[in-house]
Amino acid sequence: MQSRFKGDRRLTVRMTVTMFLLGLLYVAFVVALIVLLKSWVLVVVLMAAMFVAQFWFSDRIALFAMRGRVVEREEYPELHAVVDRLCALADMPKPVVAVSAMDMPNAFATGRNPDNAVVCVTTGLLRRLEPAELEGVLAHELSHVAHKDVAVITIASFLGVVAGLVVRFAFYSQLFGGGRRDQNTAMVFAAVMGVSAAVYAISFLLIKALSRYRELAADRAAALLTGRPSALASALTKVTGDIARIPTKDLRTAQAFNAFYFTPALGSEPGVARLFSTHPSLEQRLEQLGRISGELGEAATPGKAG
C-alpha cells in the first residue's frame, strides 16, 4: 500500500545501489570464508541463521537493547493519539508503539515492513517536547517506515555485524589460543581477520552514506506531511542540544543504534566522530527545513504565483 508520505526517487535509487553493492560484498565475503575455512556448510548455515535472526527479530533486539517496551493506549493516550492522527493522515498501517525509559531525548523506528514496524520514543523526549514538536519527530520516524528504508538499513547493517563478530572471534581465538596452533592455522585466522575487517570497513562507509541521505529524506517528508517544518526544526534543535549535554559515557550503549535514531547520540565533543556520522549535521537539516518552510509559506500566500 502506498502511503501519502512524499516519495523520494533519489532515496529509492540510493537504497537500490547500496543493496546491490552490499549484495556483491556479501557474496564475496561468503566465498572468502568458505575458501579460508574450507567448510561451505558451516559458513552458509551460520550466515543464513544470523540473517534470519536479525531481519525477523530486529525490532525485538532494538527494543531490548534500548530498554523499550510496548505500551497500550490506556498508558500513553496522547502518544497513541498523535500516532493515530499521523497514520490516518499518511494513509498507512499503525505501527506498534513503544516507550524507552531513558532520559536521553530520542526516537527510532524499526521493523521489516510497514505491517511489522515499531516506533519507540524515550521518556526523555516525551518530557521535553511540545505536542507540535513531538508530532514532527513521530512523522519523521513514520516516514522511515513508509519509505521502507528502515528495512534496508536493517538488512544492510547485517553484513557489518557479521564481519565485526568474525573479527572479534578470530582475534580473541588467536589471542587466547595462539600457542596451541600451527603456523598454517595462524595464517588462516589472520586472513579471515583481514577479509572481515575489509568487509566491515566497506559496509560501514556504504551504510553511513545511505543513512545521512535517508535522514534528510525523512525530515523533508515529515515537514511536508505535517505542514509544520518549523516544529520539526524546533524539536531537532532542542533534542540535539540536550543530547550534547549528556556525558559521553552515558551515551555509549545508545551509539550502537545511531543509524536508527532521530538524531545521533553524540557527546558534547564528538570530534572525528562527525566525519563518520550516520546523520547529516544539524545545520544541514535546519537549512533544508528552512527552505521547505519558505516554499510552504509562498504556496499559502493568496495571489502568489505557483
Side-chain angles (χ1 to χ4, degrees):
M1 183 174 68
Q2 186 70 34
S3 76
R4 293 198 184 102
F5 275 107
K6 184 175 178 57
D8 192 311
R9 188 173 61 84
R10 287 181 292 178
L11 175 61
T12 302
V13 170
R14 281 170 168 78
M15 289 193 296
T16 302
V17 171
T18 299
M19 290 303 294
F20 175 74
L21 293 176
L22 285 172
L24 293 179
L25 193 62
Y26 178 83
V27 172
F29 186 44
V30 170
V31 171
L33 289 181
I34 291 173
V35 170
L36 291 169
L37 300 179
K38 296 181 172 60
S39 176
W40 71 268
V41 174
L42 174 65
V43 172
V44 171
V45 169
L46 286 178
M47 295 284 278
M50 292 183 68
F51 176 79
V52 170
Q54 182 169 0
F55 185 65
W56 285 90
F57 302 109
S58 61
D59 52 347
R60 300 179 194 179
I61 293 170
L63 283 179
F64 175 78
M66 298 314 301
R67 296 176 297 186
R69 63 183 181 86
V70 176
V71 295
E72 301 300 331
R73 185 183 304 276
E74 295 74 20
E75 192 174 0
Y76 284 87
E78 294 179 1
L79 176 60
H80 272 272
V82 175
V83 175
D84 285 337
R85 184 167 62 252
L86 288 171
C87 288
L89 186 62
D91 192 22
M92 65 180 288
K94 181 182 178 181
V96 173
V97 178
V99 171
S100 171
M102 296 180 65
D103 185 55
M104 179 189 71
N106 228 318
F108 66 89
T110 184
R112 60 187 183 273
N113 56 48
D115 291 316
N116 296 275
V118 177
V119 171
C120 181
V121 297
T122 66
T123 52
L125 186 82
L126 294 175
R127 283 197 301 271
R128 288 171 170 86
L129 297 190
E130 299 296 326
E133 295 170 338
L134 178 62
E135 182 182 64
V137 172
L138 288 171
H140 171 103
E141 296 304 329
L142 289 172
S143 76
H144 282 315
V145 175
H147 289 157
K148 299 181 177 65
D149 58 80
V150 165
V152 171
I153 283 291
T154 298
I155 297 171
S157 64
F158 164 74
L159 192 56
V161 169
V162 172
L165 289 174
V166 171
V167 169
R168 288 187 185 182
F169 173 78
F171 175 77
Y172 287 115
S173 178
Q174 186 68 14
L175 182 65
F176 295 111
R180 298 189 297 272
R181 292 196 176 90
D182 58 31
Q183 188 175 2
N184 288 336
T185 304
M187 289 179 62
V188 169
F189 269 85
V192 168
M193 285 185 67
V195 170
S196 299
V199 168
Y200 179 82
I202 295 171
S203 62
F204 176 89
L205 294 174
L206 287 172
I207 291 168
K208 295 299 178 286
L210 172 62
S211 183
R212 286 192 290 270
Y213 185 84
R214 85 183 189 110
E215 293 302 329
L216 290 173
D219 284 346
R220 185 162 51 247
L224 293 174
L225 182 75
T226 62
R228 289 191 283 190
S230 60
L232 181 56
S234 175
L236 266 171
T237 303
K238 188 180 293 186
V239 168
T240 303
D242 285 351
I243 288 179
R245 287 190 285 271
I246 297 175
T248 302
K249 62 182 177 62
D250 295 336
L251 299 176
R252 284 175 185 161
T253 301
Q255 286 172 354
F257 292 88
N258 270 348
F260 292 91
Y261 277 130
F262 169 64
T263 192
L266 296 175
S268 55
E269 296 181 0
V272 180
R274 284 205 183 278
L275 297 176
F276 303 103
S277 178
T278 53
H279 292 60
S281 67
L282 175 63
E283 292 73 21
Q284 285 179 283
R285 298 176 77 174
L286 293 180
E287 181 183 358
Q288 175 181 251
L289 291 171
R291 288 197 303 270
I292 295 172
S293 183
E295 292 167 5
L296 293 178
E298 288 178 357
T301 302
K304 193 80 172 177

